[in-house]
Amino acid sequence: MAPSGNDRAQGTARHPVRTLERARDLVRARAHDLTADLTVHLAPGTYRGTKPLVLDARDSGSNGHKIVWQGAGEGATVVSGGRQVGGWSPVRGRFGLWSAPAPRSLTDSRQLYVDGVRAQRARGTVPVGLTQTATGYTASADTLAHWKHPEDAEFVYTSGEALWNVERNGLGQWTEPRCRIDSAQGTTITMVQPCWDNSNKRVEFPDIPGRSVSMVGPGKLTNGGKATYVENAYELLDQPGEWYLDRHAGRVYYMPRKGEDLGRADVEVAQAEKLLDVRGTADAPVHDVAFRGLQFSYATWLTPSRPEGFSEIQAGYTITGDRGWATQGLCGYVDGGTCPFASWTKMPGNVSVTYGQRLDFGDNVFAHLGAAGLDLGAGTEDTTVDGGIFTDISGNGLEVGGVDGRTPASGVEVTNNHLYGLPREFHGGVAVLNGYTQHNTIAHNQIDHVGYSAISMGWGGWPDKIGDIATPNPSHDNAVRDNLIYDYLQMLDDGGGIYTQGLTGTSMADGEKVTGNVIHDQLGLGKNVYTDNGCTYETVEGNVLYNAVYANVGSRHTDYRDDLGNNDPTLIKDNWWQEGTSDGDNKGLVTTGNRLMASPSDVPSKVLEDAGLEPSYQHLLDRRVGALAAPEAPSRVGLSAAGASALYVTFNPTFADGGSPVTGYSVRLYDAQGAQVARRDVTAAEFKRTAYVRVDSLPDSGGPFTATVTARGAHGESAPSIASLPLAATAVSTLPAAPTGAKLRTEATKATVAWTPPTVTGDAKVVGYRVTVSDGRAPVEVTGRDTLVTQPTAKGMFRVLDGLKPGTSYTVTVAAVTAAGTGPAATATATTRTS
């Protein structure tokens, strides 16, 4: 094959064919009686299509030989669902804005790329006040009714923990639902259905106020249905890198970034919703096929733009369909509830497999995609995904199996892949989503810079919240081992490096094994290894776990399969960690042999070296996808009072860095009239250490002020973030209360000091802690994101103290620090072990 080929040709090296469909048909004629592997050689170039290449059982290998679709590797062979956009010209009266005719037959898209760099759909703060109604909102003014196409605009509800004056919107701290406007007439805003009802009418238990029958998040949008921002309107085009498709007039609008020349740039709008569809059946699976050296790019997903919207449950699963809120996945809990429990709608893959056997995805790139990257769905067996790159994907990176009661995926091996810089649009997505599966292995992958959880395993464990057992499922014998995971939970909260819920097997022998992983530097509230609701028969052994926010391993859950009061059987053994929980058997939750670490230098080097990509795959870390660019803007900017003329500013840092590390951030403050009144620049290292920026010398008026933040790297500065909510600069005079529950968990030369944050009232937000040790060393100043995000729900904190003497009694005090000073201390005393 070659992009310049001819489908009337013979398909030889000298006379290649052009389209994937023609190559498939030529292969199909020979596939039934192979005497060797049959290879389709795709020459370098871009193979465009608005419909997917569909393979069925006729496209399988035979006689033990494979059909191999072989690209040139290194991103040279691109299977594309995009259309090039040309003919750009400046827009009169709008400095810096350009437009071009949309490609013919393009009806809608959610993604535009300029030289392989994702553009941001035009967005901004909601320009009116909103009061929620049964069908949408009443606005404080008729502003939206005067927009060119208000029915294109989409409200986005970003959750995460409530932090300072950052609001918790959405449907749980792990979600970011989206619903489009149906119409705006005067001050009446009507939202599309069924997205609106599916996000606001979720059935709740009549005797448990606020507890939805789904047992996942609230029954309706929180915070009075307030939208975090609005996206996709011509009127919001005000920052370089933003774009808008006027699908009514057939024009694309874009505001170029610094250095972009639209006369020369490759501008791609994503049109196809699927690139490759391996479509087997239970009776006729697709088997013995390999895809190697290919890049899959420029596909979209239009369901969120339609009335269905994106009513998120968790990890890209959504509630769909008319009255989905009343029945979908509510098996056994409501009349007419569909089964099995928790079988909501999974985000599709731009590359998808159902009932595929002995498939091989090797050395591929999944990038610039609008749904999930690769979905290995029901009936996938004995399939490998190795040596791949997953990045710049709107939602989940890789999905394995499902939760809909169909044939589970089994024998899938996901090894030596690099997944990073995602999700870019549906921020509750995860790098690897694994549902009900058997004999699957996820090993030696590197996962970094992700907005929510890195690996999500299992499903349906939530009924333990009401004293019921977890959902029966076919999962067993799954292993998650030797992965390197860091810089996760960068935007949302209540997740983990490895997150699991539900029954993982029938015994400790065939339950899930989480072993040899190195997991560190979590930003949002959660755990390194999170054993959530109903997680049963999980072994967590030999991992290196540090720099978590709340816990290294958790949590404890009651096993409701009987009334004996036991906990879900879990083994936490021989890990290196910082939380320091002592050995014991808490009614089936066994903790034994774990070792306290103050830093990675306390861990045997071989343990650290064995995690992540194996040596022959390390080259993946040097491969870049797309052009080098400025970073994405930070998110979730919040303010706290720091004095009569000062404010603290916090934010979620950039996790899509444009191909080079973020080196710093610039914080800008504005008065009520929008005039900039202050700026402070900090390095990325400084912000990581403190998790806030103090801005002084604000005007004597005291505000209120708003803030935006930009990120900068070697290739420029990002667009500004969405502005914070306003806050006045006020004096802070009240000292914080003392922390509670202080404890010392000791070894011979190290100890973990643990405490619970004090209750904070008013403006006296805790920005750090002072830990003092009785041996006379200098006080330890504790700062970082965990000092901020643990406060709203009073989650525990801990730090490791090193350099202690064996068999010695120590007293440690912990005091909270605010802008007013250091408060009273909590005290803990314990004696270190003798050896």
Side-chain angles (χ1 to χ4, degrees):
M1 292 189 60
S4 59
N6 186 330
D7 277 355
R8 295 180 180 178
Q10 298 173 340
T12 64
R14 295 187 63 184
H15 302 285
V17 297
R18 184 176 62 85
T19 66
L20 298 167
E21 290 78 11
R22 178 56 178 156
R24 175 201 61 195
D25 293 343
L26 289 174
V27 169
R28 188 173 286 177
R30 299 176 54 187
H32 63 284
D33 191 22
L34 296 180
T35 58
D37 288 353
L38 177 59
T39 301
V40 180
H41 295 277
L42 287 82
T46 299
Y47 297 82
R48 299 181 183 275
T50 58
K51 295 181 180 180
L53 172 66
V54 178
L55 304 181
D56 60 29
R58 295 172 291 175
D59 306 301
S60 303
S62 62
N63 301 325
H65 300 292
K66 286 185 181 291
I67 305 296
V68 181
W69 294 77
Q70 179 68 59
E74 296 288 332
T77 304
V78 181
V79 179
S80 171
R83 302 284 300 278
Q84 288 185 305
V85 182
W88 292 93
S89 60
V91 176
R92 285 187 184 177
R94 289 292 306 274
F95 177 77
L97 184 64
W98 292 62
S99 77
R104 212 174 270 181
S105 80
L106 179 74
T107 58
D108 202 359
S109 182
R110 297 179 65 89
Q111 291 85 30
L112 184 82
Y113 302 86
V114 180
D115 288 331
V117 178
R118 180 180 292 239
Q120 170 63 55
R121 288 208 306 173
R123 65 178 182 175
T125 55
V126 181
V128 293
L130 298 174
T131 302
Q132 191 172 2
T133 66
T135 58
Y137 300 96
T138 299
S140 59
D142 64 354
T143 305
L144 298 185
H146 295 287
W147 283 7
K148 291 176 70 172
H149 298 294
E151 68 278 8
D152 286 349
E154 188 172 279
F155 283 160
V156 182
Y157 307 88
T158 305
S159 195
E161 289 293 329
L163 174 62
W164 292 358
N165 72 335
V166 180
E167 296 179 327
R168 180 193 294 174
N169 300 323
L171 290 159
Q173 296 96 305
W174 53 91
T175 67
E176 191 180 59
R178 295 164 171 261
C179 285
R180 185 170 56 78
I181 294 173
D182 184 62
S183 65
Q185 298 179 341
T187 59
T188 299
I189 298 174
T190 303
M191 303 298 289
V192 294
Q193 296 286 12
C195 186
W196 186 248
D197 282 355
N198 286 339
S199 303
N200 286 287
K201 287 188 175 181
R202 298 180 181 181
V203 183
E204 296 183 352
F205 288 108
D207 55 342
I208 312 178
R211 170 69 72 199
S212 64
V213 174
S214 73
M215 290 166 271
V216 187
K220 61 183 179 181
L221 292 168
T222 56
N223 198 25
K226 186 170 182 179
T228 307
Y229 61 92
V230 60
E231 186 174 282
N232 199 42
Y234 177 85
E235 289 74 10
L236 299 172
L237 285 163
D238 61 358
Q239 297 294 335
E242 287 189 329
W243 79 287
Y244 168 68
L245 170 63
D246 187 337
R247 54 195 177 93
H248 312 274
R251 293 201 70 82
V252 180
Y253 293 88
Y254 178 66
M255 189 169 286
R257 302 177 178 94
K258 184 178 180 181
E260 289 179 335
D261 180 354
L262 294 183
R264 298 181 178 181
D266 174 25
V267 182
E268 303 272 353
V269 61
Q271 180 170 4
E273 293 194 70
K274 201 176 288 290
L275 301 173
L276 172 64
D277 191 358
V278 180
R279 194 182 298 171
T281 67
D283 295 329
V286 181
H287 58 86
D288 298 293
V289 183
F291 306 92
R292 299 171 183 161
L294 302 170
Q295 176 169 324
F296 297 96
S297 292
Y298 305 125
T300 190
W301 178 38
L302 295 178
T303 296
S305 297
R306 297 173 180 138
E308 198 75 74
F310 189 72
S311 181
E312 189 168 25
I313 284 281
Q314 183 170 316
Y317 277 84
T318 58
I319 293 181
T320 58
D322 294 338
R323 292 184 56 80
W325 56 272
T327 61
Q328 189 177 19
L330 301 183
C331 180
Y333 290 100
V334 300
D335 291 338
T338 60
C339 294
F341 176 73
S343 58
W344 295 291
T345 301
K346 183 173 64 173
M347 178 184 295
N350 291 134
V351 175
S352 71
V353 174
T354 52
Y355 292 98
Q357 298 177 357
R358 298 183 299 280
L359 306 183
D360 173 13
F361 289 87
D363 187 31
N364 298 300
V365 175
F366 298 84
H368 315 322
L369 297 173
L374 171 62
D375 176 22
L376 302 178
T380 303
E381 296 181 12
D382 302 325
T383 289
T384 61
V385 181
D386 75 291
I389 292 176
F390 294 75
T391 190
D392 190 21
I393 298 170
S394 287
N396 298 321
L398 169 63
E399 300 176 336
V400 185
V403 298
D404 57 4
R406 301 171 67 193
T407 306
S410 63
V412 175
E413 295 189 0
V414 179
T415 59
N416 286 296
N417 301 282
H418 188 200
L419 303 96
Y420 68 97
L422 59 88
R424 295 295 300 274
E425 184 175 1
F426 309 108
H427 294 115
V430 301
V432 178
L433 176 66
N434 185 93
Y436 296 151
T437 63
Q438 302 169 355
H439 298 285
N440 284 4
T441 299
I442 301 171
H444 286 293
N445 302 286
Q446 178 168 317
I447 304 174
D448 59 89
H449 294 85
V450 292
Y452 180 52
S453 294
I455 299 175
S456 182
M457 303 283 291
W459 198 252
W462 301 290
D464 79 342
K465 292 180 177 179
I466 58 168
D468 287 353
I469 65 171
T471 305
N473 71 75
S475 293
H476 61 82
D477 291 291
N478 292 313
V480 185
R481 60 176 177 80
D482 302 314
N483 299 285
L484 173 60
I485 299 169
Y486 63 93
D487 286 347
Y488 58 97
L489 288 180
Q490 294 287 292
M491 187 168 178
L492 300 184
D493 293 275
D494 201 2
I498 299 172
Y499 172 94
T500 306
Q501 59 169 322
L503 297 166
T504 75
T506 63
S507 66
M508 293 303 297
D510 71 359
E512 182 179 307
K513 306 296 189 295
V514 177
T515 61
N517 302 283
V518 175
I519 308 174
H520 64 90
D521 286 283
Q522 167 188 318
L523 185 78
L525 192 69
K527 295 101 176 174
N528 292 137
V529 177
Y530 194 161
T531 56
D532 205 359
N533 300 301
C535 181
T536 306
Y537 301 127
E538 177 161 322
T539 297
V540 182
E541 182 175 0
N543 303 282
V544 180
L545 311 171
Y546 62 99
N547 292 354
V549 178
Y550 180 36
N552 293 136
V553 182
S555 302
R556 181 197 67 78
H557 294 279
T558 301
D559 188 345
Y560 289 105
R561 293 176 297 173
D562 55 42
D563 57 1
L564 299 178
N566 291 317
N567 293 316
D568 293 322
T570 305
L571 176 62
I572 305 171
K573 179 183 179 183
D574 294 342
N575 300 285
W576 288 266
W577 65 357
Q578 294 175 320
E579 67 177 79
T581 303
S582 59
D583 288 358
D585 184 345
N586 184 5
K587 296 182 178 180
L589 173 58
V590 177
T591 305
T592 181
N594 300 288
R595 287 144 289 192
L596 202 57
M597 58 177 289
S599 73
S601 62
D602 294 329
V603 180
S605 58
K606 187 175 188 314
V607 175
L608 300 175
E609 292 166 0
D610 284 349
L613 300 173
E614 294 178 286
S616 60
Y617 291 90
Q618 287 286 322
H619 66 277
L620 294 178
L621 302 180
D622 297 324
R623 288 178 58 179
R624 299 310 315 172
V625 178
L628 295 169
E632 189 177 53
S635 62
R636 305 195 76 230
V637 182
L639 305 177
S640 178
S645 61
L647 287 170
Y648 293 122
V649 184
T650 190
F651 51 91
N652 283 60
T654 295
F655 59 89
D657 58 22
S660 61
V662 173
T663 57
Y665 297 95
S666 295
V667 175
R668 296 170 173 85
L669 267 70
Y670 304 87
D671 63 19
Q673 289 71 46
Q676 181 175 318
V677 296
R679 169 176 171 164
R680 173 138 183 237
D681 298 333
V682 296
T683 66
E686 181 182 357
F687 176 75
K688 184 175 183 178
R689 180 179 61 82
T690 62
Y692 64 82
V693 178
R694 181 182 171 112
V695 182
D696 293 292
S697 302
L698 296 175
D700 293 338
S701 66
F705 304 103
T706 58
T708 65
V709 185
T710 58
R712 61 183 179 274
H715 301 281
E717 186 175 23
S718 75
S721 66
I722 297 290
S724 71
L725 293 173
L727 187 73
T730 57
V732 179
S733 58
T734 303
L735 291 175
T740 59
K743 296 180 180 65
L744 267 182
R745 303 164 181 162
T746 62
E747 291 187 356
T749 60
K750 298 180 180 66
T752 293
V753 55
W755 67 91
T756 300
T759 300
V760 175
T761 58
D763 293 328
K765 309 298 186 186
V766 174
V767 294
Y769 295 89
R770 171 166 287 193
V771 177
T772 304
V773 186
S774 57
D775 61 4
R777 69 182 65 188
V780 178
E781 303 297 335
V782 175
T783 60
R785 184 65 167 206
D786 56 344
T787 66
L788 310 184
V789 79
T790 53
Q791 291 178 53
T793 49
K795 299 295 185 183
M797 289 191 61
F798 53 87
R799 285 295 188 276
V800 176
L801 304 173
D802 201 0
L804 306 182
K805 296 179 180 180
T808 303
S809 177
Y810 288 91
T811 297
V812 176
T813 63
V814 183
V817 178
T818 70
T822 303
T827 301
T829 299
T831 300
T832 55
R833 300 177 191 173
T834 56
S835 61

